[in-house]
C-alpha cells in the first residue's frame, strides 16, 4: 500500500510538472508572435513616413515661377511714377475737393505746387479748365479760384524768339479760345442738346 501511494504521488507530480510546462509555453508563443508583429508594424510606419508629401496632403502648393512676360509686366508696373503723372495726380486730387466752403484752402494748396516749366503750367491750367466745364454748378467757385491763382503762379520765359512769356492768364486765354473755336459754328437745337421748349424759344 505504501508503494502504491508513492507511485501515485510520483504520477501526480509528473502530471503537475507537465501541466506547468504547457502553461508556460503558451505565453512564450504569444510573446513570439507579438515580437514578430511589432517589427512589421514599425516597418510599415517607416515606409509611410518615407513617402514624399504631396501638395494634396500638405494642403499648400509651392508658388509657380512667373513667365518672362508676366515678370516684365510686373517690372513695368513697379517703375517709379514720373513727374508729369505725379503732378496730374496731385492736381486732380485737389480738384476733387473743390467747394465754396474750402476755396481758400484749395487755392493755397494749388499755389504750393512747384512748377518747373511752361508745359507744367499748361497741364495744370488745362485740368482746372476741364474740371470747371464738367461742374457748371461751381462756375463761380472756379472763377474765383482762377482769379486768385493768376498772381500766384510763376512766369516762365518765352519758348520761342518774339513770343511773350508764359503766364497763367495767357495760357488760360489760349485754352478758352481753343475750346470756343471747337464749338459748332451754327447753333441749333441739335448741337446744343435742347429740349422741345428751349428749341422753340431759340427759333423765336
Amino acid at each position: 500500500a505504501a508503494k502504491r501511494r508513492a507511485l501515485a504521488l510520483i504520477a501526480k507530480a509528473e502530471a503537475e510538472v507537465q501541466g506547468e510546462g504547457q502553461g508556460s509555453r503558451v505565453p512564450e508563443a504569444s510573446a513570439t508572435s507579438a515580437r514578430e508583429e511589432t517589427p512589421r508594424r514599425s516597418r510599415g510606419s517607416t515606409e509611410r513616413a518615407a513617402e514624399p508629401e504631396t501638395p494634396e496632403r500638405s494642403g499648400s502648393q509651392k508658388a509657380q515661377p512667373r513667365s518672362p512676360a508676366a515678370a516684365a509686366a510686373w517690372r513695368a508696373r513697379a517703375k517709379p511714377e514720373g513727374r508729369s503723372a505725379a503732378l496730374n495726380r496731385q492736381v486732380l486730387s485737389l480738384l476733387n475737393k473743390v467747394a465754396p466752403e474750402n476755396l481758400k484752402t484749395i487755392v493755397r494748396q494749388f499755389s504750393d505746387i512747384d512748377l518747373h516749366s511752361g508745359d507744367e503750367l499748361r497741364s495744370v491750367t488745362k485740368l482746372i479748365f476741364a474740371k470747371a466745364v464738367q461742374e457748371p454748378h461751381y462756375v463761380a467757385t472756379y472763377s474765383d479760384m482762377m482769379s486768385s491763382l493768376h498772381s500766384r503762379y510763376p512766369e516762365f520765359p518765352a519758348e520761342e524768339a518774339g513770343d511773350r512769356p508764359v503766364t497763367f492768364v495767357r495760357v488760360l486765354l489760349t485754352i478758352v479760345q481753343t475750346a470756343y473755336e471747337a464749338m459748332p459754328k451754327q447753333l441749333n437745337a441739335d448741337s446744343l442738346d435742347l429740349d422741345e421748349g428751349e428749341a422753340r424759344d431759340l427759333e423765336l
Side-chain angles (χ1 to χ4, degrees):
K3 186 176 182 179
R4 284 195 298 271
R5 285 196 299 271
L7 292 173
L9 291 173
I10 292 172
K12 184 178 180 181
E14 290 178 353
E16 291 177 356
V17 170
Q18 291 177 358
E20 291 176 359
Q22 292 176 356
S24 62
R25 281 197 295 272
V26 173
E28 182 179 358
S30 62
T32 303
S33 62
R35 284 195 301 272
E36 292 176 353
E37 186 178 359
T38 300
R40 284 198 296 270
R41 291 180 179 175
S42 62
R43 283 196 300 272
S45 61
T46 304
E47 291 174 358
R48 287 193 297 271
E51 292 179 1
E53 190 177 30
T54 61
E56 291 78 7
R57 290 182 181 178
S58 63
S60 61
Q61 296 181 356
K62 294 183 179 179
Q64 298 297 326
R66 291 193 184 98
S67 64
W74 183 86
R75 287 194 298 270
R77 290 195 300 270
K79 287 183 179 180
E81 186 179 33
R83 173 173 173 80
S84 178
L87 177 62
N88 291 343
R89 181 172 53 82
Q90 182 182 7
V91 172
L92 291 175
S93 176
L94 291 175
L95 290 174
N96 288 333
K97 302 173 184 176
V98 170
E101 297 78 12
N102 62 357
L103 179 59
K104 291 183 179 180
T105 302
I106 296 298
V107 168
R108 184 176 65 254
Q109 292 175 341
F110 264 105
S111 62
D112 291 339
I113 296 177
D114 187 18
L115 301 178
H116 293 177
S117 65
D119 288 337
E120 291 185 355
L121 178 61
R122 291 188 186 92
S123 297
V124 172
T125 309
K126 286 180 180 179
L127 291 174
I128 295 174
F129 178 78
K131 191 70 172 179
V133 172
Q134 292 175 2
E135 299 180 349
H137 53 285
Y138 278 163
V139 62
T141 302
Y142 283 105
S143 177
D144 292 341
M145 183 175 71
M146 293 177 184
S147 177
S148 300
L149 288 176
H150 88 277
S151 61
R152 296 173 182 253
Y153 279 146
E155 178 180 297
F156 295 97
E159 297 173 348
E160 295 182 2
D163 289 348
R164 294 181 177 181
V166 180
T167 64
F168 177 79
V169 173
R170 290 195 179 99
V171 169
L172 179 60
L173 289 176
T174 301
I175 294 173
V176 173
Q177 182 178 357
T178 302
Y180 174 77
E181 292 175 353
M183 294 176 63
K185 300 300 182 182
Q186 183 179 0
L187 296 180
N188 51 46
D190 294 333
S191 63
L192 295 178
D193 192 20
L194 303 178
D195 58 28
E196 184 177 353
E198 292 172 333
R200 185 169 55 253
D201 294 340
L202 180 62
E203 292 175 358
L204 296 176

